Amino acid sequence: RGDQLGGSPSVSEHLRVLVVDDDEVARFGAQRLLEKIIPGSEVLQADTCQKALDVLSQTDCDCALEDYRLPGASGLDFVREVRRSEQNGIVSGGLPVIMLTGAGDESFAVAAMKSGVTDYIPKTELSVDRLGSAIRSSLEIHRQRCETAKARAALEKANEALEARVAERTEQLPRANEELKTEIEQRTLVAVELRRAQAQLKRQNRHLLQINQVAKEFVDQVAHDFRTPLTVIRESASILYDGLMGPVGD
């Protein structure tokens, strides 16, 4: 509610505003101003701090307009109670609170802002334009705070997920290291066996080359020994064929 605002002096959205003041005339005066600033707005009223807290605990409001002086408590007490109730989840968080201060009360502005007041207006400066500007800026501050809170919550959630993932991986790391160590050992054994097999294959190849050389030399020798008588026989046969030896007797 009330995230987008129109131009001065009116606000474009329907808003629900709580007016807290013990002076009935002042409350109705504030209501008339709000009706000009926010046409069709819903204005709730309370004359004490406790009644205002009761309203907030039962109804979501977009903004609260309070007098600094309240019976039995100050406006600062009211804001502190609102912020405490927000922390406890009793009322919706981040309610913009605009404080109206009387003459001479401006000295409390710093304390008011520290207590959680979103903005303050001296009653002597209260007008349609001044109140409209305060409401617009207060709602914009509230919107930005909500966005910041959402972003912070998303970041915290992401950090928690990341931390959980890191913890899970850290827990798995020893087992992964053991598995890696086992795999390295297995690969080392395979590499050793492979080198051994390669060495054996080289020895076998050398042995086969030696056998092949011996066989070649043996074949060459046998061929030489066999060729020598064949040559003699062939030459003798040639001579006989040519009649160089004369007629062959019986």
Side-chain angles (χ1 to χ4, degrees), residues 187-199:
R187 292 193 177 189
T188 302
L189 292 175
V190 170
V192 170
E193 291 296 328
L194 180 60
R195 287 195 295 270
R196 185 179 301 166
Q198 290 174 340

Side-chain angles (χ1 to χ4, degrees), residues 57-146:
S57 66
Q58 300 172 10
T59 308
D60 289 335
C61 291
D62 298 292
C63 184
L65 182 64
E66 62 145 346
D67 186 18
Y68 172 73
R69 299 187 183 280
L70 296 173
S74 70
L76 296 182
D77 294 329
F78 168 70
V79 176
R80 294 189 187 102
E81 287 298 322
V82 168
R83 301 309 179 208
R84 188 178 299 113
S85 298
E86 290 173 347
Q87 293 176 356
N88 295 331
I90 299 175
V91 301
S92 299
L95 175 71
V97 178
I98 300 172
M99 180 178 290
L100 300 178
T101 62
D105 290 335
E106 289 82 356
S107 59
F108 295 97
V110 175
M113 301 301 285
K114 288 183 177 180
S115 298
V117 172
T118 312
D119 199 355
Y120 76 96
I121 304 173
K123 289 184 177 180
T124 55
E125 300 178 12
L126 185 60
S127 65
V128 170
D129 288 337
R130 182 69 176 86
L131 182 56
S133 175
I135 291 176
R136 281 190 294 276
S137 62
S138 296
L139 292 176
E140 177 61 19
I141 290 172
H142 176 58
R143 183 187 66 80
Q144 292 177 358
R145 286 175 177 173
C146 288

Side-chain angles (χ1 to χ4, degrees), residues 193-218:
E193 291 296 328
L194 180 60
R195 287 195 295 270
R196 185 179 301 166
Q198 290 174 340
Q200 184 178 359
L201 182 60
K202 288 181 179 179
R203 289 194 299 270
Q204 291 176 346
N205 286 338
R206 287 196 298 269
H207 183 62
L208 289 174
L209 289 174
Q210 292 173 355
I211 292 175
N212 184 64
Q213 183 63 31
V214 171
K216 183 177 182 299
E217 293 174 355
F218 175 74

